[in-house]
Amino acid sequence: MMTHSALISLGSNLSEPVTQIQRAISCLAQQAGIRLQAASALYRTAPVGYADQPDFINAAVHIETSLSPMVLLRVLNQIEAEFGRERSFQNAPRTLDLDLIDYAGQQWQTERLVLPHPRAHERGFVLIPLADMVPEHVLGAHGQVVQLLQGMDVSDIERLDTLAWNGKASSN
């Protein structure tokens, strides 16, 4: 069965965010059609857009998947719902946010999915975790992850000592 590489960004700032991210990564690793390849460190970041909320914990994972981009997006949305995600307003606090950042370098432009993620190249909280795993990865026309980080102010992003993932490969 053909598999494709995909990058997923994770974020949480409600209900023990470190635990939420760790549980979400474990949940991803147990999904049919998904094999976890690597996970970034965990990072504490300031909220973007709506500032009157707790800091976020962010991470990213690199997966191999036999799922199509749209099916993978549905799986991510289902996991968010299982974790109690409510979409009350844009940039609202959340128990879990799973964003499909890149899928095999493909470019998509649909109502439900834009690839690569349209704002990933502007967000340190996405790029720094990606740099842990795939620093040379090219995000569409924007360039390599490490190049995008050059000159970006990421001084407010703090790396945590806690592991995001135990490193055990999934069997899917």
Side-chain angles (χ1 to χ4, degrees):
M1 183 178 313
M2 185 170 209
T3 63
H4 297 280
S5 178
L7 301 172
I8 299 166
S9 177
L10 301 93
S12 174
N13 71 341
L14 297 176
S15 303
E16 300 182 37
V18 168
T19 302
Q20 296 284 38
I21 297 297
Q22 291 169 328
R23 285 181 52 230
I25 293 171
S26 292
C27 188
L28 277 168
Q30 295 170 16
Q31 298 296 312
I34 293 176
R35 171 167 273 155
L36 207 53
Q37 299 297 304
S40 72
L42 292 170
Y43 294 89
R44 182 183 323 281
T45 64
V48 172
Y50 177 65
D52 189 20
Q53 61 181 317
D55 284 349
F56 277 83
I57 300 301
N58 292 98
V61 294
H62 174 210
I63 66 168
E64 288 292 325
T65 183
S66 58
L67 306 177
S68 71
M70 292 306 295
V71 171
L72 180 56
L73 180 64
R74 272 198 304 275
V75 168
L76 298 179
N77 289 336
Q78 179 183 340
I79 292 170
E80 287 177 337
E82 289 170 8
F83 277 67
R85 168 81 188 261
E86 295 177 11
R87 298 177 187 274
S88 50
F89 58 91
Q90 188 172 5
N91 298 319
R94 58 202 75 136
T95 52
L96 184 62
D97 186 24
L98 299 174
D99 285 332
L100 182 53
I101 302 301
D102 187 83
Y103 182 96
Q106 295 181 11
Q107 295 195 12
W108 280 58
Q109 184 83 38
T110 71
E111 187 176 313
R112 294 250 320 124
L113 181 61
V114 177
L115 289 173
H117 189 284
R119 292 171 302 285
H121 68 283
E122 305 169 341
R123 296 181 166 171
F125 66 85
V126 172
L127 294 173
I128 287 179
L130 290 179
D132 280 356
M133 303 175 303
V134 290
E136 308 297 319
H137 185 80
V138 176
L139 280 177
H142 304 292
Q144 289 183 329
V145 169
V146 288
Q147 292 171 334
L148 293 168
L149 278 168
Q150 291 174 0
M152 185 180 284
D153 181 8
V154 292
S155 60
D156 61 341
I157 298 178
E158 172 193 358
R159 184 181 177 124
L160 303 182
D161 291 332
T162 308
L163 290 175
W165 178 51
N166 66 11
K168 293 182 182 159
S170 62
S171 57
N172 295 322

